[in-house]
Amino acid sequence: MFWGDSIVNDFLAQYGEEAKKRKLILRDEKTISGRPHVGSLRSFVMHSVLSDVLTSRGIDNEFFYEINDTDAFDSVPAYVSAEWSEHLGKRLQDVPSPDFKAENYAIYFAEEYKKALIDSKYNATFYVSSKKYEAGEYDKYITLALDKRDKIREIYKEISGSVKDESWYPCQIICDGCGKIATTRILNWDGKEVEYVCDDDRGYVKGCGFKGKKSPFGGNATMPWKVEWAAKFCVVKVDLEGAGKDHYAAGGSRHVSNKICEEVFGHKHPFDVRHEFILMEGSKMSSSAGIGATAVELEQLLPRYIFRFMMIQKDVMKTINFAPDGDTVPVLFDQYDEVCTRYFEEEGNEAEHKDRIFEFTHYFEREKMDHLKRFLPRFSLVAFYVQMPHVDLTFKMEELKGEPLTEDDKAEVLLRAQYAEKWLTTCSPEKYIFKIWETLPPACSGLSEAQKDFLRVLAAYLQENPKATGEEIQTFIHAKKNEFVLSPVVIFQAIYLSILGKDSGPKAGWLIEALDNEFLLKRFLEASG
């Protein structure tokens, strides 16, 4: 069963008839402290897909996604000027935009992130956390947190073992002296205002020493995140909200927030959903400059439907391993092609796991999917042909299909060619990159006499059969390996070394068919001389 259906089944079983009487609310969030890492996508996509599954069943719902701009700015990313360190400790909404054009630091990075999510056609209603604080929507819960701080301290200790000092208040006030929120401590609460001092040393920033008294309402304060998370359940009236599996570990933050939600704020906590993570692999992914390291970079590396497919195809409790400088990208295309072909060849069997994956990969265009029944050339083959000079890609694809390409076929071929070129020039592994040497590669000096003899025979065959297809050439090569008493590896090395200057490459028949015959005759005879 598709993971989205399984989770929704459990969710609806718990909510029963209530699910049919009102709009159900799903929620997730991201603190925008810089460019969101690709890992942030797992939770967003999970909630968006669950919303789509509910919609597909005729159940009214809305998925709210929060841009969190009220957390403290606690570090300056490498791609932001070091001058921004003067703003450490302030709320993200109070930190200026790196380009001085956006409303603030958080919004600057959020807009790029939101665009990537919207371009991917995921369903979500975006909102900004500070707007709800400023509108007074959290005032009730700030009051409850301050009034019941002892109860919250008990919950922290009971669930997580964390011991909060008796002087601790579950509220963070903005300093009127320096504008920081990370370095203030509340000293007293009289039911209307808090007395505070800005003297905390957080390691990355120190307080200014200012003492004051002010109301914590209307956006003047926030709450520690486990308390705030519980308050968000209440403010947004959330029915379903999941999180990474680490939050559900014994004593984890979700257990703390759930208990605060119910026992302090008097609100039923949302239906829980756990998810695994996205792990980035490969040497090019090890730094912040790596291609695909951020959510935006990954979204731009893949066509929309492959990006959505990658995020949807695995159960949410299974890790997604993504290595753009490995085989991940061509394998994703192959997996998608298999699911797409199955869907159209076995229509009507919609309950099948892979069919549901395909449906929700393309849910945004569910009303019109006929154009998806198109010719799907292997991505690795397209990546090969776009590197070959003199190859007419459309002609080659028609040859492979065995008939003229439709307009939908042509659009798909063009799209795959564009993304193949992008992948090859950014993060493709070396084994997919094929450079045709204009002169005889130096590596040919190591060819054995038997390999040279084979190249002469191959040249003679090509001279007699200039129109030979890739399959015919491949058959000829295999037929000759016994005659020369050479292993296939040694024979193919002779071909690759003489053309590519390395001992491996694509299917030899493809390679030879894609190149000019006169060039090949000259090269093979030169290499065997």
Side-chain angles (χ1 to χ4, degrees):
M1 180 181 292
F2 175 52
W3 60 264
D5 288 317
S6 178
I7 293 170
V8 166
N9 287 347
D10 292 343
F11 173 57
L12 295 179
Q14 180 173 310
Y15 271 69
E17 289 300 310
E18 184 182 351
K20 302 175 183 178
K21 296 177 181 178
R22 62 177 175 83
K23 178 185 284 188
L24 300 176
I25 302 299
L26 296 76
R27 197 199 79 96
D28 189 27
E29 69 174 272
K30 175 59 184 172
T31 297
I32 308 296
S33 54
R35 295 173 183 145
H37 187 270
V38 65
S40 64
L41 292 167
R42 193 74 193 268
S43 187
F44 173 85
V45 172
M46 179 184 77
H47 288 87
S48 183
V49 171
L50 292 176
S51 175
D52 287 343
V53 173
L54 287 166
T55 299
S56 74
R57 299 190 187 188
I59 297 169
D60 190 19
N61 75 94
E62 189 167 5
F63 167 40
F64 288 97
Y65 192 69
E66 176 183 293
I67 301 300
N68 186 335
D69 64 343
T70 53
D71 280 4
F73 182 48
D74 59 8
S75 63
V76 181
Y79 45 81
V80 174
S81 170
E83 293 178 4
W84 261 248
S85 61
E86 68 178 272
H87 301 291
L88 289 171
K90 296 179 182 178
R91 294 177 303 176
L92 290 163
Q93 71 177 103
D94 298 323
V95 178
S97 166
D99 68 352
F100 297 107
K101 295 178 182 179
E103 183 180 343
N104 57 52
Y105 181 93
I107 298 302
Y108 172 79
F109 288 109
E111 287 306 312
E112 181 184 53
Y113 182 51
K114 279 174 57 180
K115 183 181 184 302
L117 298 177
I118 292 169
D119 287 349
S120 298
K121 300 296 184 182
Y122 282 113
N123 153 55
T125 299
F126 295 90
Y127 73 95
V128 180
S129 60
S130 60
K131 305 305 181 186
K132 290 188 176 294
Y133 269 105
E134 291 164 4
E137 295 183 45
Y138 283 98
D139 292 354
K140 171 184 176 181
Y141 302 100
I142 289 174
T143 299
L144 286 170
L146 289 168
D147 287 345
K148 298 185 178 183
R149 66 189 179 104
D150 289 338
K151 177 62 178 176
I152 293 175
R153 287 173 56 243
E154 289 176 11
I155 291 172
Y156 268 82
K157 184 176 181 180
E158 175 192 346
I159 301 297
S160 67
S162 174
V163 177
K164 300 295 184 184
D165 189 87
E166 290 185 6
S167 63
W168 177 79
Y169 284 86
C171 184
Q172 298 162 317
I173 197 82
I174 300 166
C175 176
D176 285 335
C178 64
K180 298 184 182 71
I181 196 170
T183 53
T184 56
R185 291 185 302 115
I186 293 177
L187 305 174
N188 187 49
W189 156 245
D190 64 11
K192 293 184 179 180
E193 295 183 317
V194 295
E195 292 180 34
Y196 70 93
V197 61
C198 182
D199 67 352
D200 201 0
D201 183 351
R202 299 300 299 271
Y204 66 90
V205 67
K206 295 181 180 180
C208 68
F210 183 87
K211 290 185 178 180
K213 185 174 183 180
K214 66 192 294 186
S215 165
F217 306 132
N220 287 333
T222 61
M223 292 169 276
W225 80 275
K226 293 175 188 176
V227 181
E228 183 184 59
W229 199 5
K232 289 176 179 179
F233 297 158
C234 306
V235 168
V236 187
K237 298 179 174 57
V238 186
D239 296 299
L240 182 154
E241 180 167 346
K245 67 174 186 178
D246 52 326
H247 293 295
Y248 287 97
S253 53
R254 185 55 181 261
H255 301 299
V256 174
S257 295
N258 282 351
K259 198 169 184 67
I260 291 173
C261 180
E262 297 194 340
E263 297 188 8
V264 177
F265 297 148
H267 189 285
K268 179 182 177 181
H269 74 75
F271 183 81
D272 290 297
V273 186
R274 299 161 175 78
H275 66 77
E276 264 285 0
F277 306 105
I278 301 176
L279 299 182
M280 306 306 294
E281 300 178 349
S283 59
K284 294 181 183 178
M285 304 309 303
S286 62
S287 72
S288 61
I291 298 299
T294 71
V296 172
E297 289 170 334
L298 176 59
E299 186 269 340
Q300 293 174 345
L301 181 65
L302 303 171
R304 177 189 294 147
Y305 70 86
I306 293 294
F307 174 66
R308 288 176 61 93
F309 177 76
M310 182 194 82
M311 298 301 302
I312 290 172
Q313 70 160 329
K314 277 198 172 183
D315 187 288
V316 291
M317 280 307 294
K318 291 184 178 179
T319 301
I320 295 175
N321 293 290
F322 186 77
D325 60 348
D327 294 322
T328 302
V329 173
V331 168
L332 274 172
F333 274 91
D334 288 347
Q335 291 172 334
Y336 170 85
D337 294 351
E338 176 191 348
V339 170
C340 179
T341 301
R342 170 196 166 85
Y343 183 82
F344 286 107
E345 288 182 354
E346 302 178 27
E347 288 183 89
N349 197 9
E350 294 183 356
E352 287 290 336
H353 177 105
K354 289 185 177 180
D355 286 351
R356 293 293 274 174
I357 290 173
F358 184 79
E359 288 167 10
F360 287 102
T361 293
H362 293 281
Y363 194 71
F364 64 95
E365 51 186 342
R366 58 193 177 279
E367 301 299 329
K368 190 177 180 181
M369 295 175 66
D370 290 347
H371 71 284
L372 299 173
K373 192 174 183 180
R374 74 279 196 209
F375 176 59
L376 299 170
R378 287 194 72 185
F379 180 79
S380 56
L381 182 59
V382 174
F384 163 69
Y385 280 126
V386 297
Q387 299 176 77
M388 295 296 106
H390 315 302
V391 168
D392 182 326
L393 188 60
T394 299
F395 176 80
K396 181 56 65 178
M397 294 300 106
E398 287 184 338
E399 193 175 72
L400 285 171
K401 184 182 179 184
E403 60 186 25
L405 300 182
T406 66
E407 290 305 310
D408 290 333
D409 294 341
K410 291 177 182 177
E412 183 64 25
V413 169
L414 177 61
L415 180 143
R416 293 194 175 205
Q418 290 172 340
Y419 279 92
E421 289 174 346
K422 179 184 294 187
W423 178 63
L424 289 166
T425 56
T426 54
C427 52
S428 161
E430 186 64 29
K431 68 179 181 179
Y432 288 100
I433 298 174
F434 309 116
K435 175 190 173 185
I436 309 300
W437 280 68
E438 295 181 4
T439 58
L440 187 68
C444 287
S445 62
L447 290 173
S448 68
E449 288 304 315
Q451 286 176 311
K452 291 179 180 180
D453 288 343
F454 168 75
L455 290 178
R456 294 189 191 98
V457 170
L458 179 57
Y461 172 79
L462 294 175
Q463 188 167 26
E464 294 175 8
N465 301 275
K467 302 294 184 181
T469 66
E471 286 304 316
E472 290 170 342
I473 296 168
Q474 198 77 7
T475 299
F476 172 81
I477 293 171
H478 280 288
K480 289 295 178 182
K481 68 178 186 292
N482 294 329
E483 180 181 327
F484 284 88
V485 197
L486 293 172
S487 70
V489 171
V490 174
I491 280 183
F492 289 122
Q493 278 181 347
I495 297 171
Y496 298 137
L497 286 170
S498 60
I499 299 173
L500 305 175
K502 56 183 182 180
D503 58 12
S504 63
K507 191 174 181 180
W510 289 357
L511 179 62
I512 293 171
E513 183 188 20
L515 297 173
D516 178 73
N517 202 56
E518 289 300 319
F519 164 80
L520 290 168
L521 293 176
K522 180 180 178 182
R523 177 57 55 84
F524 289 151
L525 291 175
E526 186 179 3
S528 61

